[in-house]
Amino acid sequence: MPFRGSSVDLDLLAERLGTLHTEPGDTITLADNRPGAKDDRRGAVRILGAGERQTSYHARNRGVQAGEAPWLVFIDADVVASPDLLDRYFEMPPDERTGVLAGAIVDEVPSTETGAAVRYAYLKHSMSQDTLLANEEWAFAQTANAAIRREAFAQVGGFEPKIRSGGDADLCFRLQAAGWALERRDGATVVHRNRTTVARMLAQRARHGAGAAWLARQWPGAMPRRQALRLAFWGTRRAIHGGLAAARGDRDAAVLGFLDGPSIWAYELGRLLPNRATPRMLARR
């Protein structure tokens, strides 16, 4: 199981991964893409240093090399999986031409003390696979929770390792172009822990926008740009709606109204940012 490293404590991540039920021949690998990361082991979990390039896709590619199982199950460091996740993926045998199994991702339920960013992500179902899988022409699975057939992964050359965002979609598009199909696995569910501040959430949205612009160049027709004038009108209406909701004490409607506009604008303006991880950008991270 390739696993992207983060600033989360490795012992905690390894302990969480160690609870997964595995079968003979399965391996669990945590690919740590932080600078200076080194190979290590925590019980059944192998830690693989992948700090040569600080992109999640490079880490995933390195993690794939650590095992030999016919299926690769990817999850991110900011998700929590139940011990039976792998069992749920393969309750039904995949079709022989299926290359991708899309697991379900649900956003963490906010508490009464939770900030606006986490509440907004929960209300918007920001990590749900549903919208991404509904577009038949450009359907893709987020590899925050997805399984990919090793044969298919190798055939198309794995993830593009030099980009910051959009690699999940790019890989799925290449797999489908090569004749591989995508299946849903709604029972294989993980809980996603979202960004805790509005600033971090908007920065993430901008990065996703950079990935969308890159995808639009690679795959004409995918990730179309929104019209600025319509977006400005819509954002203003949403802000007014948020103000009215706040006045009547409707917290959730106020959060949605105030953050809908900034979230979409961050995404669209992010299209102007570079998506390739340059040495200078890596040095700042």
Side-chain angles (χ1 to χ4, degrees), residues 11-228:
D11 290 328
L12 177 61
L13 290 178
E15 180 181 355
R16 194 185 300 166
L17 287 173
T19 66
L20 291 173
H21 174 250
T22 58
E23 297 289 346
D26 292 342
T27 57
I28 302 177
T29 303
L30 193 158
D32 185 356
N33 67 345
R34 296 174 299 180
K38 299 183 183 299
D39 294 352
D40 202 349
R41 180 172 287 277
R42 301 286 195 282
V45 179
R46 176 181 179 181
I47 298 175
L48 184 65
E52 306 88 354
R53 185 183 298 274
Q54 284 80 63
T55 73
S56 62
Y57 306 118
H58 167 73
R60 288 177 171 94
N61 285 343
R62 285 291 309 278
V64 166
Q65 300 170 11
E68 298 178 353
W71 282 90
L72 311 163
V73 178
F74 296 89
I75 59 176
D76 275 354
D78 51 10
V79 306
V80 178
S82 62
D84 64 349
L85 177 69
L86 304 182
D87 299 324
R88 289 181 173 275
Y89 260 114
F90 302 104
E91 284 178 336
M92 294 177 52
D95 185 85
E96 62 179 11
R97 289 307 299 171
T98 293
V100 182
L101 300 175
I105 307 172
V106 298
D107 295 283
E108 184 179 21
V109 178
S111 66
T112 54
E113 293 79 24
T114 300
V118 175
R119 181 166 292 275
Y120 179 76
Y122 171 75
L123 294 170
K124 296 293 287 188
H125 307 288
S126 66
M127 287 297 292
S128 172
Q129 304 267 41
D130 290 344
T131 302
L132 306 177
L133 298 173
N135 187 339
E136 292 185 6
E137 184 179 5
W138 300 111
F140 70 94
Q142 298 177 94
T143 51
N145 183 31
I148 300 176
R149 192 185 294 269
R150 183 181 291 274
E151 176 189 353
F153 187 88
Q155 180 184 340
V156 300
F159 291 102
E160 166 53 58
K162 298 180 181 179
I163 58 173
R164 300 188 300 148
S165 188
D168 303 10
D170 174 63
L171 177 67
C172 288
F173 296 163
R174 284 187 280 122
L175 286 168
Q176 291 173 89
W180 294 97
L182 188 153
E183 290 184 28
R184 298 185 65 139
R185 285 294 185 271
D186 293 335
T189 304
V190 299
V191 177
H192 182 261
R193 293 177 172 172
N194 290 288
R195 301 297 192 271
T196 56
T197 68
V198 171
R200 293 184 64 198
M201 180 196 76
L202 295 180
Q204 181 187 46
R205 292 287 292 167
R207 179 169 57 81
H208 291 168
W214 179 83
L215 284 167
R217 294 190 295 270
Q218 299 292 119
W219 300 93
M223 310 295 172
R225 183 189 298 272
R226 295 176 176 85
Q227 293 185 3

